[in-house]
């Protein structure tokens, strides 16, 4: 997972804790936002996988 993804998860977690402690109502996310969030996560993982595989392809045996 990328640094940006970890920051996003941390922000969500701290927001939930703040809402529970402060008694605030949780943020309501619409279905479009949730769907887009899933698509962004999948795309991010795919790009990272492509980058790793490209590096392996260009440097198949870096130890030799």
């Amino acid at each position: 997972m990328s640094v940006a993804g970890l920051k996003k998860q941390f922000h969500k977690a701290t927001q939930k804790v703040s809402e529970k402690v402060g008694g605030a109502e949780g943020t309501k996310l619409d279905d479009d936002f949730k769907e887009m969030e899933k698509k962004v996560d999948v795309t991010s993982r795919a790009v990272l996988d492509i980058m790793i595989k490209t590096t392996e392809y260009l440097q198949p045996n870096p130890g030799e």
Side-chain angles (χ1 to χ4, degrees):
M1 178 173 283
S2 68
V3 174
L6 291 173
K7 285 182 182 179
K8 182 178 174 183
Q9 284 186 339
F10 178 74
H11 176 69
K12 283 183 185 179
T14 53
Q15 181 180 3
K16 286 181 182 179
V17 169
S18 297
E19 290 170 351
K20 288 187 184 284
V21 171
E25 183 178 331
T27 304
K28 302 293 184 206
L29 302 176
D30 65 356
D31 292 336
D32 289 338
F33 180 85
K34 291 179 183 178
E35 184 65 28
M36 185 60 70
E37 186 177 36
K38 288 178 188 175
K39 289 179 181 180
V40 168
D41 288 342
V42 168
T43 302
S44 177
R45 279 186 245 132
V47 169
L48 182 61
D49 190 43
I50 289 170
M51 289 171 53
I52 290 170
K53 290 187 187 291
T54 300
T55 302
E56 290 173 358
Y57 179 77
L58 295 174
Q59 300 174 345
N61 295 314
E64 291 183 2

